[in-house]
Amino acid sequence: MDFDLPQHLVDYLAELDRFIEAEIKPLQAQDDNERFFDHRREYARTDWENQGLPRKEWEELLAEARRRADAAGHYRYAWPVEMGGKGGSQFDMAVIREHLAAKGLGLHNDLQNEHSIVGNNPFVLMFKSFATNEQYERYADQLLSGKMRTAFGLTEPNHGSDATFMETRAVRETRDGKPGWRIDGAKMWTTGMHVATHCMVFARTSGKDGDATGITCFIVPTDNPGIKVEEYLWTFNMPTDHPRVSITDCWVPEDAYWGEIDRGLGLGQSFVHQNRIRQAASSLGAAVYCIEESVRYARERKPFGKALAENQAIQWPLVELATQAEMLRLLIRKTAWQMDRMDHKQIEKEISDKVSMCNYWANRLVCEAADRAMQVHGGIGYSRHKPFEHIFRHHRRYRITEGSEEIQMRKVAAYLFGYLGPRRAQFKGVEAGTDYVQPIPPRHG
């Protein structure tokens, strides 16, 4: 085993650092763009009089940062080479996302809306893996040029963790002599609908509630008259772009789907595995930032003439957090390394539990680290003049939206006790009651 990072990745991290210093930090400093990152950030980012949506100026700034990153060859790092990227691996992305998040709040990597100079976008790899040749020809140019922006319509008002019980239905219907589908239902937390050109609408096309098959992923233009944003749901972490969407008498052509008819949940699983490991790395990086800032402050702050860092009550909680961060880093990188050697189906069968371990523990760790940073910093830590409250509010959502902790622990338990995964053969013949069914988690688009 060799735990040293490969030289190409070490060099690339240094290249990213130089790009941030030369291009991104000056952009953040100009025209009072700091208002989006200092104590004014929540107010500056949120259009309070327009349903709590992100302000136009905020999204334009993020877009400019991405444009510069794309021009420099960074934004599409993880995309396949044939799609204009550099073919960056899951391992690379785990290291990069931790590195960027550990720098703290900034235009280089603001995860409140998944913005980064190195794009995550597992949607691209999902499209490459599941689109048919015809679908690829139809949508690839729009997707790669950024003209096609998709929202993820899986979670429903009455169904979150178990998507197999979704109420949205699609039935075949011919209109004006053209074969197609009529879709009726509702979706929840359909992130990004205010800027999306299309919505990935998952709908049952056959089978019964609880069946993993029989669900299809439709690509529906957001200007379809049957699609309506009913309300934007204000959250702990403003601004919001998470609406409840109604789908009523929504007709689409027969070929307006991705992947295969009745096999749509496979797309969701592909998205989940990629996003979970990368998001775990970001949470780890944010936790490291909180720990390091707390250590630095504890050395500098001297109430009663003695540094805070000399007190064991300050030391020990940070020691435990630092220990967990070190162990978690090893598991994330090992799991990402394994994922690079498997296809999507093999990941689900063999190491999906490890992906869940990384994700739920990283999300819990960053919340604990942000909370501890507030405590160590005292009153100023609780204020908006430090970023800890922002980090806590943002990452707290991932203990729900990437598959709740409970759902992910359920996945780990299924592998541990042999209901799923490699240990299933070990328990063959053991009376286990009903079969375990793994649900798809709720997902903010």
Side-chain angles (χ1 to χ4, degrees):
M1 283 184 269
D2 184 356
F3 290 98
D4 290 333
L5 293 180
Q7 191 59 45
H8 81 273
L9 190 51
V10 174
D11 293 341
Y12 188 61
L13 295 178
E15 182 181 343
L16 284 173
D17 289 345
R18 290 192 295 272
F19 172 72
I20 291 169
E21 292 295 326
E23 289 282 343
I24 302 302
K25 283 190 175 180
L27 177 61
Q28 181 174 327
Q30 74 183 42
D31 300 327
D32 195 28
N33 288 333
E34 288 291 354
R35 70 189 186 277
F36 297 114
F37 302 96
D38 62 20
H39 61 280
R40 301 167 290 174
R41 54 188 169 262
E42 191 170 34
Y43 179 82
R45 296 178 181 195
T46 307
D47 191 342
W48 302 100
E49 303 304 320
N50 184 26
Q51 305 178 85
L53 285 165
R55 290 189 192 273
K56 181 181 179 182
E57 299 86 352
W58 166 233
E59 294 194 316
E60 286 176 344
L61 178 62
L62 297 180
E64 175 59 19
R66 291 193 297 269
R67 186 197 67 76
R68 295 188 185 192
D70 202 15
H74 300 309
Y75 185 70
R76 307 186 193 203
Y77 180 88
W79 293 24
V81 174
E82 62 271 26
M83 299 176 80
K86 295 184 178 180
S89 65
Q90 298 290 353
F91 178 85
D92 287 359
M93 286 296 287
V95 174
I96 290 167
R97 284 174 69 81
E98 179 192 343
H99 178 77
L100 294 177
K103 291 178 178 293
L105 214 57
L107 185 54
H108 67 286
N109 190 75
D110 191 279
L111 294 173
Q112 186 181 52
N113 57 1
E114 290 298 325
H115 162 82
S116 179
I117 58 171
V118 180
N120 179 18
N121 205 351
F123 179 78
V124 172
L125 291 178
M126 182 180 70
F127 175 74
K128 179 178 180 291
S129 298
F130 288 92
T132 65
N133 290 335
E134 182 182 355
Q135 292 162 353
Y136 191 90
E137 288 295 323
R138 189 188 319 144
Y139 294 115
D141 287 344
Q142 298 179 60
L143 179 64
L144 299 182
S145 66
K147 294 179 181 178
M148 184 179 194
R149 301 184 67 176
T150 56
F152 198 79
L154 180 65
T155 304
E156 298 187 347
N158 295 324
H159 303 281
S161 295
D162 191 352
T164 64
F165 278 80
M166 68 174 55
E167 297 176 22
T168 302
R169 295 288 192 268
V171 296
R172 293 185 183 274
E173 183 176 291
T174 299
R175 293 191 182 180
D176 299 325
K178 297 179 181 179
W181 301 85
R182 189 189 77 241
I183 310 174
D184 293 278
K187 296 298 176 180
M188 194 80 162
W189 309 115
T190 318
T191 304
M193 278 292 287
H194 69 299
V195 294
T197 61
H198 294 75
C199 183
M200 297 172 63
V201 176
F202 290 80
R204 182 162 291 285
T205 46
S206 69
K208 62 182 185 301
D209 287 344
D211 290 346
T213 57
I215 292 172
T216 302
C217 177
F218 292 94
I219 302 301
V220 183
T222 53
D223 61 1
N224 187 302
I227 296 284
K228 180 183 178 183
V229 172
E230 296 290 347
E231 63 175 329
Y232 282 93
L233 296 123
W234 290 36
T235 68
F236 191 33
N237 190 34
M238 296 295 286
T240 183
D241 58 350
H242 314 302
R244 175 172 60 87
V245 177
S246 64
I247 306 167
T248 308
D249 193 26
C250 176
W251 188 88
V252 294
E254 193 280 332
D255 59 355
Y257 61 89
W258 274 359
E260 301 178 39
I261 296 293
D262 293 339
R263 300 283 179 177
L265 284 189
L267 280 76
Q269 287 287 13
S270 167
F271 189 103
V272 161
H273 286 125
Q274 293 180 67
N275 210 57
R276 278 181 179 173
I277 194 67
R278 297 176 182 184
Q279 196 274 312
S282 289
S283 286
L284 170 61
V288 169
Y289 172 81
C290 293
I291 295 166
E292 291 297 328
E293 287 295 301
S294 298
V295 168
R296 184 178 298 108
Y297 183 81
R299 290 299 302 269
E300 296 172 353
R301 182 75 166 176
K302 296 180 179 180
F304 308 107
K306 184 176 73 171
L308 279 175
E310 296 182 30
N311 298 311
Q312 289 180 335
I314 297 294
Q315 292 177 359
W316 288 2
L318 293 174
V319 165
E320 291 192 346
L321 290 168
T323 301
Q324 291 181 45
E326 288 291 334
M327 293 189 291
L328 179 61
R329 180 178 298 111
L330 294 177
L331 181 59
I332 287 174
R333 293 183 180 182
K334 176 192 173 187
T335 304
W337 178 83
Q338 290 179 304
M339 291 174 69
D340 286 328
R341 285 151 180 77
M342 301 179 181
D343 61 24
H344 296 302
K345 292 182 179 179
Q346 191 179 3
I347 291 171
E348 172 61 30
K349 291 179 180 178
E350 297 187 22
I351 61 168
S352 185
D353 61 326
K354 300 303 188 297
V355 178
S356 286
M357 286 180 183
C358 292
N359 192 265
Y360 93 79
W361 197 261
N363 295 333
R364 182 184 294 179
L365 177 64
V366 67
C367 289
E368 292 178 355
D371 184 76
R372 178 53 52 181
M374 287 186 236
Q375 194 70 21
V376 170
H377 283 76
I380 195 68
Y382 182 69
S383 78
R384 296 183 188 272
H385 294 267
K386 291 291 183 180
F388 309 124
E389 59 82 28
H390 179 89
I391 291 170
F392 181 89
R393 285 188 293 110
H394 166 69
H395 287 273
R396 182 61 180 84
R397 89 181 207 186
Y398 289 129
R399 294 175 64 187
I400 301 170
T401 62
E402 286 306 308
S404 68
E405 287 183 357
E406 294 80 7
I407 287 295
Q408 298 207 54
M409 292 174 75
R410 187 181 180 208
K411 166 64 75 72
V412 175
Y415 276 63
L416 180 64
F417 290 93
Y419 296 109
L420 290 177
R423 290 164 64 90
R424 192 167 190 171
Q426 177 181 336
F427 290 93
K428 188 176 182 180
V430 176
E431 180 61 41
T434 57
D435 286 340
Y436 176 94
V437 177
Q438 169 61 24
I440 303 289
R443 169 71 193 165
H444 288 197

